[in-house]
Amino acid sequence: LVQRGYRVVRFDNRDSGRSTKLTEASLPDAEAIGKALEAGEPAPVPYTLQDMAADAIGLLDVLAIQQAHIVGLSMGGAIAQFIAIDYSERTLSLTLLAADSGNPELPVIAKPAAFAGVPMPPTTVDREAFLDWQVKTWQALAGADYPTAEVILLAAAQRDFDRGFDPAGLTRQ
């Protein structure tokens, strides 16, 4: 993209990588969140996807970028959708990768069997558990038709861990 004349801006969302950690925030209470949502009330969480969309717009402001092509992967896709909705005047285009509309009738995972061997995300700062989870997750997402060499996935997982894996932040996100 840079070779084609685009300025690429990548950043860590709050509670991840080298961004601000909200260590003073408690972990989400799934039961309280469920009750609030059933009652049509806001979920009791330290921040929302819309807050994270505002973070991205704040970064564009600091960089003096008035409009941008917005790309989001997974949770970033959800954040990107809020940017496009809430800040449409700042959005030149929207590209979503591994993201959905939030339609509750869609399955969370289209093919659960593909994730049968994927462990749960680690709840502690355990490098080996993180690497195993990341590599197996990316293998499951890629599927058999688009394999990536495990050595490449492992190197990416190592970079991600070293950048600042925070299990509590992942849970809050």
Side-chain angles (χ1 to χ4, degrees), residues 8 18 38 64 71 81-82 86 112 121 124 130 132 147 164:
V8 177
R18 295 187 181 144
E38 285 177 14
V71 179
Q81 289 177 70
F82 279 114
D86 296 339
T124 61
F130 176 85
D132 185 48

Side-chain angles (χ1 to χ4, degrees), residues 26-114:
S26 61
L27 292 178
D29 177 342
E31 185 177 331
I33 291 169
K35 286 180 181 177
L37 294 176
E38 285 177 14
E41 298 172 2
V45 294
Y47 53 87
T48 66
L49 294 171
Q50 286 177 297
D51 294 329
M52 296 171 85
D55 292 345
I57 293 299
L59 178 58
L60 291 179
D61 289 344
V62 167
L63 297 173
I65 299 172
Q66 294 307 306
Q67 293 183 307
H69 298 282
I70 306 297
V71 179
L73 170 69
S74 191
M75 181 185 72
I79 295 167
Q81 289 177 70
F82 279 114
I83 293 170
I85 293 166
D86 296 339
Y87 305 93
S88 59
E89 73 284 357
R90 306 290 296 271
T91 307
L92 291 172
S93 67
L94 175 64
T95 302
L96 305 175
L97 307 164
D100 67 36
S101 64
N103 179 345
E105 294 182 22
L106 293 174
V108 174
I109 298 174
K111 297 181 181 179

Side-chain angles (χ1 to χ4, degrees), residues 4 27 54 128-130 136 146 151:
R4 291 182 179 213
L27 292 178
E128 292 309 311
F130 176 85
K136 288 181 178 168
Y146 300 98
V151 66

Side-chain angles (χ1 to χ4, degrees), residues 114-139:
F115 287 82
V118 177
M120 294 299 293
T123 57
T124 61
V125 181
D126 178 334
R127 183 180 183 85
E128 292 309 311
F130 176 85
L131 298 179
D132 185 48
W133 167 65
Q134 278 289 88
V135 168
K136 288 181 178 168
T137 297
W138 285 110
Q139 287 172 330

